[in-house]
């Protein structure tokens, strides 16, 4: 019982110290790394520094733990040769002249060292093979370049084109008179201070609202857009990802969107997605050849079983296993809404197909930086993501969709 108690105490002390050291250094890393100003080589350097500090701390703890175990063994051995509780238990048995020492030949130690180095080399090789040499990814401007211009406005669409986005994502709903307009929320309280609900007002009533001044005075001229206006402005300049917003009030949103797309001749330059599975199923049934995507903010079973060309998920769902499973089924994985450069790089390394961001110019900068980075630097950023040093900045919520 005494021996067991000492061993349990030794194990708990070693594990506890290691956990505290790892948590402290990891917390320091998470606090420092997002403040790098978007320079990925600096991120890689800081991740490497955190990993080295963690390794040194755990090495020191391992040394102290081993020394403490030695003290326990020696102390218990000395007591066992006397008349303590363990000494009495040894009465009538052959007393040991001293503690047993296991001596391994030098050849065995060499083999152990070789095995350790080989295991480390194999692990490093496997990690490096998972880091893509060239990045194959597209960039979507979330509600336009909504980090630089008011969301879902012509200014945001034009800024997305300037910023080099491949896609612009917009939200569409129906007005009371059946016009498909571009807006995210159910009303205009956030961006215009109005409680008018889209399905309760006509387009003419809504078109006078100033939806730009809330962002900055220079955008005071921005007004509610129709889907047709966005498609005509985007044609042959940028592709458009149309998110269908229902709020339980849509009557024939899918049909109306299809009519506008075909009217503008944008069939090959658009995608349709929705949070509602029934909506994308309806769109798929109406136009089987069009690109449709399922938008998800939470795990609801096996997402890859859904009949969709792509899955648009928040960063928490964009695991390596989901990405691999989706790719096996021929689906792409789009991730929203990622604005931190380090998080962008980590997700690119994870294998996502499309980054949805408020700052597409930042995503372009990340791709340019990654093109100049060495495999080791990319690997360090990737490891930082695996050990959750970079995930804090990638958190997103359902309202971000």
């Amino acid at each position: 019982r005494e021996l067991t108690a000492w061993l349990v105490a030794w194990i708990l002390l070693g594990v506890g110290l290691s956990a505290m050291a790892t948590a402290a250094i990891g917390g320091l890393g998470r606090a420092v790394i997002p403040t790098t100003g978007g320079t990925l080589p600096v991120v890689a350097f800081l991740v490497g520094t955190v990993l080295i500090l963690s390794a040194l701390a755990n090495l020191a703890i391992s040394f102290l733990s081993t020394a403490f175990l030695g003290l326990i063994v020696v102390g218990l051995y000395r007591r066992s040769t006397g008349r303590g509780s363990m000494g009495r238990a040894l009465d009538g048995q052959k007393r040991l002249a001293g503690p047993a020492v296991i001596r391994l030949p030098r050849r065995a130690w060499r083999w152990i060292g070789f095995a350790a180095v080989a295991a480390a080399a194999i692990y490093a090789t496997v990690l490096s093979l998972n880091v893509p040499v060239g990045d194959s990814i597209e960039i979507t401007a979330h509600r336009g370049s909504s980090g630089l211009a008011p969301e879902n406005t012509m200014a945001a669409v034009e800024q997305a084109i300037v910023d080099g986005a491949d896609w612009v994502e917009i939200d569409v709903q129906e007005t009371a008179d059946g016009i498909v307009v571009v807006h995210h929320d159910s009303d205009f309280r956030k961006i215009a201070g109005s409680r008018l609900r889209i399905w309760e007002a006509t387009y003419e009533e809504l078109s006078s609202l100033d939806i730009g001044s809330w962002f900055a005075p220079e955008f005071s001229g921005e007004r509610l857009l129709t889907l047709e206006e966005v498609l005509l402005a985007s044609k042959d300049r940028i592709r458009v990802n149309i998110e269908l917003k229902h709020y339980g009030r849509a009557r024939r949103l899918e049909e109306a969107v299809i009519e506008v797309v075909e009217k503008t001749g944008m069939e090959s330059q658009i995608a349709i997605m929705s949070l509602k599975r029934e909506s994308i199923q309806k769109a798929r049934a109406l136009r089987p050849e069009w690109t449709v995507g399922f938008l998800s903010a939470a795990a609801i079973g096996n997402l890859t079983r859904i009949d969709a060309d792509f899955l648009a998920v928040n960063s928490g769902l964009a695991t390596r296993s989901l990405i691999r499973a989706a790719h096996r089924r021929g689906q792409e994985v789009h991730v929203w809404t990622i604005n931190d450069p380090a998080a962008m790089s980590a997700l690119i390394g994870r294998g996502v197909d499309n980054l949805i961001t408020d700052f597409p110019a930042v995503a372009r900068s990340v791709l340019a930086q990654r093109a100049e980075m060495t495999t080791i630097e990319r690997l360090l950023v990737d490891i930082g993501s695996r050990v959750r040093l970079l995930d804090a900045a990638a958190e997103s919520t359902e309202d971000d969709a």
Side-chain angles (χ1 to χ4, degrees):
R1 287 195 298 269
E2 187 178 6
L3 177 60
T4 301
W6 275 107
L7 289 177
V8 169
W10 170 72
I11 292 171
L12 291 177
L13 179 63
V15 171
L17 287 175
S18 179
M20 286 190 292
T22 301
I25 295 173
L28 176 65
R30 282 186 287 273
V32 172
I33 290 174
T35 66
T36 59
T39 305
L40 290 180
V42 175
V43 172
F45 172 78
L46 289 175
V47 169
T49 302
V50 169
L51 294 176
I52 291 172
L53 288 175
S54 181
L56 291 175
N58 280 285
L59 182 63
I61 290 169
S62 178
F63 174 80
L64 292 174
S65 179
T66 303
F68 184 54
L69 177 61
L71 292 174
I72 293 174
V73 171
V74 171
L76 291 177
Y77 171 75
R78 286 177 175 173
R79 290 181 57 186
S80 71
T81 58
R83 287 295 172 180
S85 59
M86 294 186 69
R88 288 192 296 269
L90 293 173
D91 282 347
Q93 299 182 21
K94 182 179 179 181
R95 297 293 180 91
L96 295 175
V101 178
I102 300 175
R103 297 185 183 278
L104 294 177
R106 290 184 178 180
R107 181 178 297 179
W109 285 114
R110 282 197 293 266
W111 278 107
I112 291 173
F114 174 78
V117 172
I122 292 171
Y123 182 65
T125 302
V126 171
L127 284 178
S128 62
L129 289 176
N130 286 329
V131 178
V133 176
D135 298 322
S136 177
I137 192 169
E138 292 186 317
I139 299 168
T140 295
H142 179 238
R143 306 179 199 172
S145 286
S146 53
L148 301 177
E151 64 184 50
N152 284 319
T153 61
M154 190 60 74
V157 173
E158 291 293 338
Q159 187 64 51
I161 296 171
V162 171
D163 290 342
D166 301 291
W167 293 80
V168 59
E169 182 265 344
I170 58 173
D171 308 283
V172 299
Q173 302 178 57
E174 290 177 282
T175 63
D177 51 345
I179 304 298
V180 182
V181 294
V182 180
H183 185 61
H184 179 271
D185 298 344
S186 60
D187 58 31
F188 292 85
R189 281 182 293 180
K190 185 181 84 171
I191 65 173
S194 171
R195 293 181 177 272
L196 276 175
R197 295 184 181 273
I198 286 184
W199 59 82
E200 295 174 346
T202 65
Y203 173 67
E204 184 177 357
E205 292 174 299
L206 298 171
S207 61
S208 61
L209 294 174
D210 171 7
I211 62 172
S213 293
W214 69 276
F215 190 91
E218 59 264 31
F219 296 106
S220 60
E222 296 297 327
R223 295 294 182 267
L224 183 68
L225 295 172
T226 65
L227 174 60
E228 183 174 351
E229 288 176 312
V230 172
L231 293 182
L232 289 174
S234 303
K235 191 171 184 179
D236 299 325
R237 301 172 72 203
I238 191 170
R239 286 168 287 173
V240 183
N241 186 346
I242 305 167
E243 182 186 343
L244 308 179
K245 306 292 287 189
H246 287 270
Y247 296 111
R249 302 286 181 161
R251 297 181 297 277
R252 55 184 302 274
L253 182 57
E254 293 80 12
E255 293 92 340
V257 167
I258 288 171
E259 290 170 4
V260 175
V261 170
E262 292 180 336
K263 178 182 177 182
T264 56
M266 284 283 285
E267 296 94 330
S268 63
Q269 300 179 49
I270 61 98
I272 293 176
M273 69 177 182
S274 177
L275 276 164
K276 292 188 174 297
R277 190 169 179 175
E278 300 81 3
S279 182
I280 64 168
Q281 288 174 336
K282 185 176 180 181
R284 174 74 90 192
L286 291 170
R287 293 296 183 272
E289 70 280 9
W290 288 16
T291 301
V292 299
F294 181 66
L295 185 65
S296 180
I300 51 171
N302 188 350
L303 293 175
T304 63
R305 294 183 180 275
I306 295 173
D307 181 21
D309 298 299
F310 66 91
L311 304 173
V313 299
N314 69 15
S315 60
L317 296 181
T319 61
R320 293 179 185 276
S321 58
L322 173 69
I323 294 167
R324 285 194 295 265
H327 288 174
R328 283 195 297 268
R329 296 180 66 91
Q331 296 171 317
E332 292 186 351
V333 177
H334 301 193
V335 186
W336 47 267
T337 303
I338 313 301
N339 294 327
D340 178 76
M344 289 177 180
S345 182
L347 286 165
I348 293 170
R350 202 176 295 177
V352 302
D353 302 286
N354 194 308
L355 283 178
I356 303 176
T357 175
D358 297 329
F359 299 93
V362 174
R364 281 284 166 220
S365 174
V366 167
L367 287 172
Q369 290 181 61
R370 283 177 60 86
E372 300 296 326
M373 291 169 66
T374 65
T375 301
I376 296 298
E377 288 174 319
R378 291 187 181 203
L379 180 59
L380 285 171
V381 175
D382 185 61
I383 292 174
S385 172
R386 288 173 184 249
V387 299
R388 302 191 66 82
L389 287 174
L390 306 179
D391 284 357
E395 293 299 322
S396 34
T397 64
E398 183 171 342
D399 187 59
D400 289 330

